[in-house]
Amino acid sequence: VEKDWNTIVAAARDITEKAIGSRERATFKCFCRRSDKGFFMNSEEINRELGHEMLEAFPNLSVDIREPEIKLCVEIREMAFIYAQEIMGAGGMPTGTAGLATLLISGGIDSPVAGYMMARRGLELTAVHFYSYPYTSERARDKVVDLARIVSRYSGPIKLHLVPFTEIQLAIYEKCPPKETTVLMRRLMMKIAQLWADGARALITGEALGQVASQTLESLCVTDDAVTMPVFRPLIGFDKNDIVAIAKKIDTFNTSILPYEDCCTVFVPQHPVTKPEVQKMRESEALVDFSEMIQRAIENTETVTAI
């Protein structure tokens, strides 16, 4: 409203009446912020005079400055703003102020939550998804695009790279030690994600310590060894209930649980290694020349913008 005292009082009466509602009695306090120092009353005077006006208008009101049921707020800026309800925003930092990072996004619950959490800290996101057609379906691909679109509500547009991974995955499965396939697959994913970084300065994953065999401390160290970029893992200390709660809050959960497999669930070894050694994994990876396969995967990548 205009910065006229009678107008401010009238607006405050209307808002207070709505806040009281059907209650027979209620407690309140006035809280003023005055950025316009030219206004004829200071904050303390506004609180006192407006409180007096509300007590005169509503005999069922009483003052409680510590735990009021109604907090009548007035802000004196270019206009006067009066309200009695505060709604929490998402919090965090403005989009892009922390730089650019690349999210490894699967079709599961965890990675979209990880992307959301880092976007809250001001990171702009690009994303990489690995699919293994025909072992994974087109619906699995579409599901990931939908997840990226949901995350983009919080992060802004996301450039999503859809990388064919079947040839690499089959080579790992056929030529490397069976119990090491999951960790080796993760190493190759990290290498390709780094190549698709688009100027990003870090990678983001949805890994949580100890959640599965490829997320033990030793496995995470072996995975990090595959790249030179820092890897952010915002879910590292979360349990599944924590992650699910955030997924439901940001509206990714129902999409994540759709029953379409991603490439991480294909060719899972029966007894995966849980304490791999960096040097041993380097040796196993060197059993296959992946360079041309990686190049073909990059050349055949489809890129879409999720918004």
Side-chain angles (χ1 to χ4, degrees):
V1 297
E2 295 295 331
K3 289 184 286 189
D4 168 76
W5 181 246
N6 291 331
T7 305
I8 291 171
V9 170
R13 284 192 190 121
D14 181 52
I15 286 172
T16 301
E17 183 177 16
K18 291 176 181 176
I20 294 171
S22 60
R23 286 179 284 196
E24 292 185 5
R25 300 196 62 80
T27 59
F28 86 112
K29 72 174 285 188
C30 294
F31 180 77
C32 177
R33 293 188 183 97
R34 186 184 65 128
S35 60
D36 178 5
K37 303 305 181 185
F39 193 72
F40 74 98
M41 285 192 286
N42 63 32
S43 297
E44 185 179 341
E45 290 169 337
I46 293 170
N47 287 336
R48 183 173 63 245
E49 294 301 323
L50 197 60
H52 171 72
E53 293 283 354
M54 296 306 104
L55 289 171
E56 288 286 313
F58 303 103
N60 57 340
L61 274 184
S62 60
V63 175
D64 183 343
I65 61 172
R66 289 184 173 83
E67 295 184 358
E69 295 170 292
I70 299 167
K71 185 179 178 182
L72 180 62
C73 300
V74 180
E75 297 189 21
I76 307 297
R77 296 186 279 174
E78 70 279 4
M79 300 279 286
F81 297 86
I82 302 97
Y83 56 93
Q85 182 184 17
E86 294 177 319
I87 301 170
M88 290 297 294
M93 305 287 284
T95 300
T97 55
L100 180 69
T102 297
L103 171 67
L104 280 78
I105 185 169
S106 69
I109 296 170
D110 302 342
S111 54
V113 172
Y116 159 78
M117 290 182 66
M118 295 313 303
R120 284 192 68 191
R121 301 312 306 156
L123 281 176
E124 183 182 356
L125 302 180
T126 62
V128 176
H129 172 69
F130 298 89
Y131 67 92
S132 295
Y133 186 81
Y135 299 97
T136 58
S137 67
E138 284 293 315
R139 287 188 174 184
R141 170 202 175 279
D142 294 342
K143 169 183 170 181
V144 171
V145 174
D146 289 341
L147 286 170
R149 287 191 177 121
I150 296 170
V151 175
S152 76
R153 298 174 191 168
Y154 308 94
S155 68
I158 298 173
K159 186 184 289 186
L160 171 62
H161 303 292
L162 301 160
V163 181
F165 200 60
T166 310
E167 183 183 14
I168 293 171
Q169 204 162 11
L170 287 172
I172 293 171
Y173 178 71
E174 292 170 359
K175 299 177 182 179
C176 298
K179 65 179 183 179
E180 298 173 357
T181 55
T182 301
V183 176
L184 290 171
M185 179 180 70
R186 294 292 296 173
R187 283 177 60 89
L188 270 295
M189 286 180 173
M190 298 291 274
K191 289 185 177 185
I192 294 172
Q194 181 168 264
L195 292 172
W196 267 126
D198 292 327
R201 304 293 296 274
L203 302 176
I204 304 168
T205 76
E207 292 159 313
L209 186 62
Q211 185 165 244
V212 293
S214 63
Q215 295 176 22
T216 63
L217 181 58
E218 292 83 357
S219 295
L220 297 179
C221 290
V222 167
T223 302
D224 283 358
D225 175 69
V227 292
T228 58
M229 298 173 71
V231 182
F232 295 158
R233 295 182 173 94
L235 309 183
I236 195 69
F238 284 37
D239 65 25
K240 202 66 175 184
N241 289 336
D242 298 329
I243 300 167
V244 166
I246 299 175
K248 289 180 177 177
K249 172 185 171 184
I250 66 174
D251 202 29
T252 56
F253 180 74
N254 288 336
T255 302
S256 291
I257 62 173
L258 291 173
Y260 309 128
E261 287 189 320
D262 59 40
C263 71
C264 294
T265 59
V266 179
F267 306 134
V268 175
Q270 188 172 1
H271 300 292
V273 62
T274 57
K275 294 185 177 181
E277 299 175 6
V278 170
Q279 186 56 41
K280 181 66 171 67
M281 290 300 102
R282 289 176 178 175
E283 292 170 1
S284 295
E285 188 178 308
L287 294 173
V288 183
D289 182 2
F290 289 103
S291 56
E292 291 186 3
M293 297 184 211
I294 290 173
Q295 185 59 38
R296 282 193 290 272
I298 291 173
E299 289 173 355
N300 291 296
T301 293
E302 176 189 0
T303 300
V304 299
T305 299
I307 186 171

